[in-house]
């Protein structure tokens, strides 16, 4: 992967490291955006006396009926000294994800497919394809965000047993999950406003900020998503331009022609 990945990134019209940030998903606040610490009790929040099951009855957390989604988003990727733009076409289910990336000239340079076991990348211009294990992608491709799954963080499957603690401030509710993710909801609107996950690397994306909510097929979902790295120096801003829930017969075919060998990494 060390020798082949940069070529894949360049043919799509991006500088290599900028495209890595683009892959980091997918979706603006500045680096000084409010941060939520990850100790036993979140900073500026107090333990709540409201039981998790009672709170979840108020919040929009029942997404069991959503098996897949598809759509399109414009992406702006920012890091020190660089800013890039792209268009992302995405299809996600609970177990699979397919991305198509177009540069600012509208040229589709590549596709990325991910399932629980592996990540496959296809360079349509150079006609090359690679596959690596999900474990290797996790360590080599920005904490595994080379193939984001919008469904996993936008419509997470939750039940009261997933919640380790409930916290609150004057304006937000916080659900702390057993995997140490935090979901923040506005007390006024009850919309999901932030997702914060633990990160081992300062480059890893750890905070997702959701704004501009709208009614989509019976669900209140954000149209704007910003993702911040743990150190706050890099961000991805996604503006969702089209979104369909439970599309008929979603396709996860990455489209590699039979005459192109699949290289293993």
């Amino acid at each position: 992967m060390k020798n082949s990945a940069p070529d894949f990134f360049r043919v799509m019209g991006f500088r290599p490291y900028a495209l890595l940030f683009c892959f980091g998903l997918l979706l603006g606040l500045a680096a000084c955006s409010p941060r939520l610490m990850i100790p036993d009790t979140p900073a500026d929040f107090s333990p709540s006396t409201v039981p998790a099951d009672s709170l979840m009855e108020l919040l929009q957390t029942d997404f069991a009926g959503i098996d897949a989604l598809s759509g399109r988003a414009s992406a702006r990727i920012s890091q020190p000294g660089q800013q890039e733009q792209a268009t992302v076409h995405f299809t996600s289910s609970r177990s699979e994800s397919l991305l198509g990336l177009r540069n600012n000239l509208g040229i589709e340079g590549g596709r990325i497919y991910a399932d629980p076991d592996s990540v496959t990348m296809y360079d349509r211009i150079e006609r090359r394809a690679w596959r690596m294990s999900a474990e290797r992608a996790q360590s080599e491709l920005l904490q595994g965000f080379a193939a984001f799954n919008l469904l996993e963080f936008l419509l997470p499957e939750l039940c009261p047993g997933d919640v380790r603690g409930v916290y609150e401030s004057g304006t937000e509710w916080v659900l702390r999950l057993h995997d140490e993710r935090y979901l923040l909801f506005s007390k006024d609107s009850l919309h999901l406003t932030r997702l914060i996950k633990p990160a081992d690397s300062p480059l890893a994306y750890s905070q997702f900020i959701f704004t501009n909510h709208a009614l989509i097929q019976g669900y209140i979902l954000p149209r704007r998503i910003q993702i911040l790295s743990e150190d706050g120096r890099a961000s991805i801003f996604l503006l969702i331009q089209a979104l369909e829930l439970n599309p008929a017969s979603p396709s996860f075919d990455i489209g590699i022609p039979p005459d192109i060998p699949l290289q293993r990494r």
Side-chain angles (χ1 to χ4, degrees):
M1 188 66 193
K2 181 176 180 181
N3 295 327
S4 58
D7 293 335
F8 175 76
F9 300 144
R10 289 193 184 99
V11 296
M12 296 181 66
F14 298 93
R15 289 181 287 272
Y17 295 107
L19 189 59
L20 279 175
F21 285 119
C22 175
F23 287 175
L25 222 94
L26 306 137
L27 309 181
L29 303 178
C32 60
S33 301
R35 302 284 302 282
L36 185 68
M37 305 302 291
I38 311 291
D40 289 338
T41 302
D44 301 326
F45 288 81
S46 302
S48 177
T49 59
V50 178
D53 53 353
S54 298
L55 181 57
M56 291 178 67
E57 289 181 0
L58 299 175
L59 304 174
Q60 181 182 245
T61 58
D62 184 9
F63 301 120
I66 306 300
D67 299 318
L69 57 77
S70 64
R72 181 184 72 256
S74 63
R76 185 175 72 241
I77 308 96
S78 300
Q79 58 174 322
Q82 287 187 340
Q83 182 165 300
E84 302 286 349
Q85 293 186 337
T87 298
V88 181
H89 293 259
F90 54 85
T91 302
S92 299
S93 72
R94 295 292 175 186
S95 60
E96 297 177 279
S97 176
L98 180 67
L99 299 181
L101 300 174
R102 295 179 180 271
N103 64 17
N104 56 6
L105 298 177
I107 299 173
E108 182 180 3
R111 297 175 183 174
I112 306 173
Y113 169 80
D115 61 25
D117 300 318
S118 64
V119 173
T120 303
M121 298 186 294
Y122 170 38
D123 173 354
R124 298 182 70 244
I125 296 176
E126 292 294 325
R127 294 176 56 82
R128 301 175 66 188
W130 307 265
R131 176 174 292 167
M132 65 172 60
S133 68
E135 181 179 1
R136 184 169 181 180
Q138 177 75 16
S139 63
E140 294 188 7
L141 299 178
L142 281 184
Q143 306 297 325
F145 276 91
F148 72 83
N149 189 318
L150 192 63
L151 187 58
E152 289 183 353
F153 67 82
L154 191 58
L155 298 161
E157 289 186 302
L158 294 175
C159 64
D162 297 324
V163 179
R164 182 176 178 181
V166 178
Y167 305 88
E168 63 179 297
S169 68
T171 59
E172 289 178 297
W173 296 105
V174 182
L175 298 180
R176 180 187 182 189
L177 307 184
H178 284 289
D179 61 6
E180 296 304 328
R181 288 180 299 158
Y182 287 79
L183 297 175
L184 285 77
F185 297 83
S186 165
K187 283 188 171 181
D188 290 335
S189 66
L190 302 180
H191 298 162
L192 177 64
T193 56
R194 283 189 281 168
L195 164 63
I196 298 173
K197 57 184 295 181
D200 296 328
S201 166
L203 298 178
Y205 288 98
S206 62
Q207 183 170 184
F208 301 72
I209 301 168
F210 308 106
T211 57
N212 196 24
H213 292 73
L215 182 65
I216 302 175
Q217 296 178 225
Y219 292 88
I220 302 295
L221 299 174
R223 287 286 191 179
R224 298 171 186 252
I225 303 172
Q226 178 150 18
I227 306 172
L228 296 174
S229 62
E230 176 66 16
D231 62 8
R233 302 183 66 197
S235 69
I236 300 168
F237 176 77
L238 291 180
L239 175 61
I240 297 178
Q241 300 169 321
L243 181 64
E244 181 182 3
L245 306 181
N246 287 334
S249 303
S251 174
F252 295 95
D253 181 10
I254 194 172
I256 301 174
D259 61 324
I260 295 180
L262 185 61
Q263 303 176 44
R264 306 283 177 168
R265 299 293 174 182

